[in-house]
Amino acid sequence: MKTWDTPFHLACQLVHMIIMVGYSARSALEEGLCGIIRECFCGGATFRSLILLFSLFITSGEVAAQEPRLDDIPESFQPAEESWDYQRAEAMIPMRDGVKLYTVILTPRHLPKPMPIMLTRTPYNATTMSRRVPSSHLVSVLPIADELFASAGYIRVFQDVRGKHKSEGAFVMTRPLRGPLNSTATDESTDAWDTIDWLVKNVANNNGRVGIIGTSYEGYLALMALIDPHPALKVSVPVNPMVDGWKGDDWFHNGAFREVEIDYVYRQTTTRRSELPLGHGYYDDYSYFLSDGGIGELGERVGANRLPFWKLLSEHPAYDDFWSLQATDTLLRGRSLKVQTMLVHSLFDQEDSYGAVAAYKAIEEANSGGSNVLVLGPWSHAQSTLNGSELGAFVWDSDTAKHFRSAILQPFLDHVLLDAQGDQSLAPVTAFDTGRHEWTHYDVWPPSCSVGCREESKALYLQPEHRLGFTRPLASDPPYEEYVSDPAKPVPYRVRPIRPIYATGSTWSQWLVDDQRPFSDRTDVLTYTSNELTAPLKVAGEPIATLFASTTGTDADWVVKLIDVFPDESASYPQLGGYELMISAEITRGRYRESLSRPTPVTSNQVFEYRIRMPAVSHTFLPGHRLMVQIQSTWFPLYDRNPQRYIENIFTAKQQDYTKATQRIYQSGAHASWLELPVVSARQH
Ligand code: PG9
């Protein structure tokens, strides 16, 4: 009967939905139910029919419960890779002590011939490094800097170091070489050896030649692979490597502690997967780091004092054996290397401004059989692996990082790993001039008179009335300038608010090219300026500052910045009018003036000589520009504050230990302070 059609259909649909959604399809059951419903509605409902209907519902549920739904995630899943232009394999490679390291191997699918292996060992997650974006194309999954490896057909390998991410074993921060600081049977050099040995024996279609490349921590790992290297290792490219954690890389610079690194130590060593960032509840790092007495108190407050590596940092503030015996340049010095090396240095490296040049020099000293090449580019830390067109306010006129990778790095690698013929005219040293915005070439670094390419270093003197020039002040000139350094109001290292280095939107990578004008006028910063230049002045090498200074305290920090002051108006880049670009800057801690390993108090009011080797420069001061030097005693919170009163270990300083001091910089007679500028004459480039 037509009148019953609608409820009948509704009932049937309901039954159908229940069966489809919740239970296995059972057409017989469905038909049975529909028949009973038809009986209910069409043939006169009986109590028996309803009971039957109800029991069938129950029964249908019971049937499904007997066969529970399977896990939607399979035990393991192998993507359908047949159409990809590469194969992705994962291996747990056994080391000599049985620990297995997680390794990702990406092989181009149709290799025309056996190809070399390019290895990166990392504490930063081999999985994410080998899968930039999900794609069927090798060039897309690899980091941007690896684009040319993909087109050259290299086999690309990423490995988690011991104790990080998917690798087994224990993590030790920049694990020292086996010996006095490491009593185990393994270190990063043996792990590199064992890995390379396994790769050349197990990866199909490899040509028996391996290269290792990596940035920063990975750069340190690329250097460690050079110590007793595996014979298949043919080339190493350490980029901005961490080399000496006390003299000038991540942890200290000449004894001044880089306290912002607490975030790094926390993130890297609280968990194996580095998934616990340090949140401190401050927008401005300046306020955060000023909120405690010393860095030790801060470490206690956030729990970092329970982290073994943080404890080591606070127990080794001086350059004792802990630091000197693990400095990678020292470990490499004197070793005869057959492996070709290319050290890559960033001229605005906010993290490791010491390592690449120091390692290059150490390898050069050994005068070994391999070729040793140095590249210095206009980059922040790791920027040679990204886009190198600009940094902060500075635009370099082309993508300098891409140029480095395609015109310098790849031909060098192809030559060593593929016997590529091509143009082999790669200069031993290639340096970007950050003043002229052009690449220059040298035979050695620093360019030296012995190979006929450097002038005498030029002495740039601090002169009376805050002037700067190449003539030595007279003995009769005013003897000093002074300022009061107050640790309660330290000089910020950049304009506040200073975002934590890993915060979203942080511009940490640009801070070395920040305009220094906001600091020139502070009463606790001495600023010396030259006349306008009438001819270009080209510098290439490491400036050395010699300060004659005294303090009313018993310890003091000394910061020296070498600055290029731009003309007041810039036609092409208006934002650079009057800009004060820091081309090199460094800090030293007074207590280490006589010995890096045995600190001593500074005698109050006595003049001492402080020599500060500054990070490498490759720069032309152009006509119309002026030179500037700034001197100050705090640089906060990049560096911890010196209490300015001698206490044994500054990590233990309390709020009341910090005192104001009057600092004097001497500038005449026997105490004329000066900077040795590595001036390069025009004929050399
Ligand atoms: N600069 C970082 C680092 C290296 C080594 C030790 C600690 C920190 C890095 O970028 O890897």
Side-chain angles (χ1 to χ4, degrees), residues 546-677:
T546 301
L547 292 188
F548 290 93
S550 70
T551 176
T552 53
T554 48
D555 195 4
D557 288 350
W558 307 105
V559 177
V560 179
K561 305 175 187 169
L562 175 62
I563 293 165
D564 182 348
V565 184
F566 283 54
D568 287 321
E569 193 171 45
S570 163
S572 352
Y573 296 105
Q575 74 278 17
L576 296 184
Y579 204 94
E580 296 181 3
L581 169 67
M582 193 162 67
I583 63 160
S584 189
E586 194 50 287
I587 187 170
T588 197
R589 189 149 274 182
R591 58 175 53 206
Y592 300 113
R593 72 203 172 285
E594 282 159 3
S595 160
L596 303 184
S597 56
R598 284 188 306 283
T600 46
V602 176
T603 311
S604 305
N605 301 315
Q606 192 171 318
V607 183
F608 289 100
E609 179 180 342
Y610 299 92
R611 275 173 71 77
I612 310 169
R613 181 173 285 275
M614 300 171 71
V617 294
S618 165
H619 188 80
T620 300
F621 294 89
L622 296 171
H625 288 229
R626 287 173 295 152
L627 283 81
M628 177 182 277
V629 168
Q630 290 182 2
I631 296 171
Q632 60 201 51
S633 288
T634 46
W635 214 10
F636 186 77
L638 179 66
Y639 293 97
D640 64 332
R641 292 167 300 150
N642 188 324
Q644 307 190 149
R645 167 204 305 201
Y646 189 86
I647 59 170
E648 213 54 57
N649 182 347
I650 292 180
F651 278 86
T652 66
K654 304 275 178 285
Q655 202 73 268
Q656 62 276 15
D657 292 321
Y658 292 83
T659 52
K660 281 188 195 173
T662 300
Q663 323 288 47
R664 285 184 178 167
I665 302 296
Y666 288 78
Q667 56 192 34
S668 68
H671 289 160
S673 298
W674 61 293
L675 263 74
E676 188 180 326
L677 289 190

